[in-house]
Amino acid sequence: MVTRRQILQLAAAMLALPASELFAESATSKLPLIQKKIPSSGELLPVVGMGTSRTFNKDDDPESMAKLTAVIQAFFAAKGMVIDSSPMYGSAEARVGDVLRSMKNHPKVFAATKVWTRGREQGISDMLESAQRMNVKNFDLISVHNLVDWKTQLDTLKNWKKEGKVRYIGITTSHGRDHDEFIQVMKNEPIDFVQFSYNIANLDAEREILPVARDKGIATMINRPYQRGSLFLQSKGKALPEMVKDIDCNSWGQFYLKFILGHPDITCAIPATSKAKHMVDNMQANFGRLPDPAQRKEMLNYFNSL
């Protein structure tokens, strides 16, 4: 008798392989992988990770599971490691865990999630549940989501880090709000990561967050690199500038990611998608050359002229 689990695995494999093969056959796959250091440890991470907000908030039916497995297979094929989720994202943590459980073998994952609740015991309970949902023994990174009860939750996380229950700890903000308090936590608490929004149309973080991250030795993880897709509306139908050939870039998605990743104080970006073909495109920004300051200025000027 064929089990439901076997059906999911078979359906997932049928959709996943073409995406993986598509990346393997691309010219980008022959370029060097781009990695940056986590300042607090020196550990290297690939610069393009994977977000799961909205995109992985799906039911566990065979069709959804097959599509999500294809996305993660494409991610792994391009040497992706960082998978970021949150209990705030509905069923996203569970779907990531389902996909990872369905794979007999998969590359190493840098598993990141968040705690998004009030109270010490509830925070601990939620983080343990997140580990079960994502099929993780110990998270690589747990961050306090949007500073919710951050003093309580960060106190737990600091203890967990000492005890080896989590490798890195941090804080996040999703909408550019609470920057004053966010920056004070960065300055005064021993955190390893911050996550926030930053992209070619939203450079607010350059004024305060990025300089503090540099001074305090904090890794930076970028959400909303495409401004929830609105950047593509501005560049739709427009040609890429000639200079993109000098940074191994062949799409607007890669253009937007490489602009972000070219900033010396950015560690990684976590674009989210539910389509394997978009993941293949995103992950090509994980390879080749990044723009220098002059090239980033040229990219910004070109974007603003569209």
Side-chain angles (χ1 to χ4, degrees):
M1 179 177 178
V2 179
T3 66
R4 179 173 177 276
R5 178 184 177 85
Q6 290 171 323
I7 292 172
L8 290 176
Q9 290 174 331
L10 179 60
M14 290 175 65
L15 282 176
L17 287 176
S20 302
E21 292 171 356
L22 181 61
F23 179 82
E25 293 171 359
S26 71
T28 306
S29 66
K30 310 301 189 294
L31 297 173
L33 176 68
I34 308 168
Q35 300 181 89
K36 291 193 178 185
K37 290 182 180 181
I38 299 172
S40 65
S41 68
E43 178 181 0
L44 289 170
L45 286 183
V47 292
V48 182
M50 186 184 86
T52 58
S53 176
R54 298 189 180 186
T55 54
F56 270 65
N57 183 21
K58 308 291 184 183
D59 293 331
D60 63 345
D61 59 276
E63 182 179 0
S64 295
M65 286 298 300
K67 290 179 179 178
L68 295 180
T69 299
V71 169
I72 290 185
Q73 289 278 26
F75 177 71
F76 285 149
K79 300 184 180 180
M81 282 181 60
V82 178
I83 299 179
D84 177 80
S85 197
S86 170
M88 186 184 183
Y89 303 161
S91 60
E93 287 181 324
R95 295 296 83 79
V96 170
D98 289 342
V99 171
L100 295 179
R101 275 185 286 268
S102 74
M103 297 178 178
K104 289 184 178 180
N105 297 293
H106 61 75
K108 180 181 177 182
V109 176
F110 184 97
T113 195
K114 306 171 187 75
V115 55
W116 183 60
T117 192
R118 296 187 181 278
R120 180 179 181 277
E121 295 306 318
Q122 189 61 52
I124 291 172
S125 175
D126 285 4
M127 289 187 284
L128 293 175
E129 288 182 12
S130 290
Q132 291 180 340
R133 285 193 292 263
M134 279 186 70
N135 193 36
V136 171
K137 182 177 180 181
N138 290 316
F139 277 103
D140 294 286
L141 168 64
I142 302 178
S143 299
V144 182
H145 203 26
N146 288 337
L147 298 179
V148 175
D149 196 14
W150 70 264
K151 292 181 180 179
T152 301
Q153 309 308 339
L154 200 55
D155 185 61
T156 296
L157 287 173
K158 286 187 284 188
N159 288 330
W160 274 25
K161 184 179 177 182
K162 290 178 183 177
E163 296 167 3
K165 295 178 180 179
V166 65
R167 298 176 61 218
Y168 301 105
I169 62 177
I171 56 172
T172 81
T173 180
S174 299
H175 310 292
R177 63 190 179 208
D178 303 322
H179 273 187
D180 290 343
E181 187 173 14
F182 192 81
I183 290 166
Q184 288 306 308
V185 177
M186 291 177 67
K187 289 180 176 179
N188 297 305
E189 295 290 341
I191 57 175
D192 304 290
F193 272 83
V194 287
Q195 183 183 135
F196 53 91
S197 300
Y198 174 72
N199 56 64
I200 199 168
N202 176 11
L203 305 177
D204 291 348
E206 289 186 357
R207 288 193 290 272
E208 291 186 279
I209 293 180
L210 288 173
V212 175
R214 179 177 61 250
D215 292 344
K216 302 297 289 187
I218 300 171
T220 57
M221 186 179 291
I222 304 305
N223 58 44
R224 303 189 181 187
Y226 300 139
Q227 196 81 342
R228 291 289 196 203
S230 67
L231 299 186
F232 295 110
L233 297 177
Q234 186 162 339
S235 57
K236 185 176 181 180
K238 305 295 178 62
L240 288 162
E242 283 294 318
M243 57 80 60
V244 297
K245 65 180 182 296
D246 297 322
I247 57 170
D248 303 305
C249 173
N250 55 50
S251 75
W252 279 107
Q254 295 165 39
F255 178 93
Y256 294 133
L257 288 175
K258 288 210 166 184
F259 174 83
I260 293 168
L261 297 167
H263 195 293
D265 300 322
I266 300 297
T267 307
C268 66
I270 49 170
T273 182
S274 59
K275 297 181 179 179
K277 66 178 182 179
H278 290 166
M279 178 60 78
V280 171
D281 186 73
N282 289 344
M283 294 307 292
Q284 293 186 62
N286 210 29
F287 296 83
R289 293 167 289 182
L290 290 175
D292 60 28
Q295 289 170 321
R296 290 185 81 245
K297 184 176 181 180
E298 184 178 351
M299 293 167 82
L300 180 60
N301 289 339
Y302 189 82
F303 174 78
N304 287 334
S305 72
L306 297 178

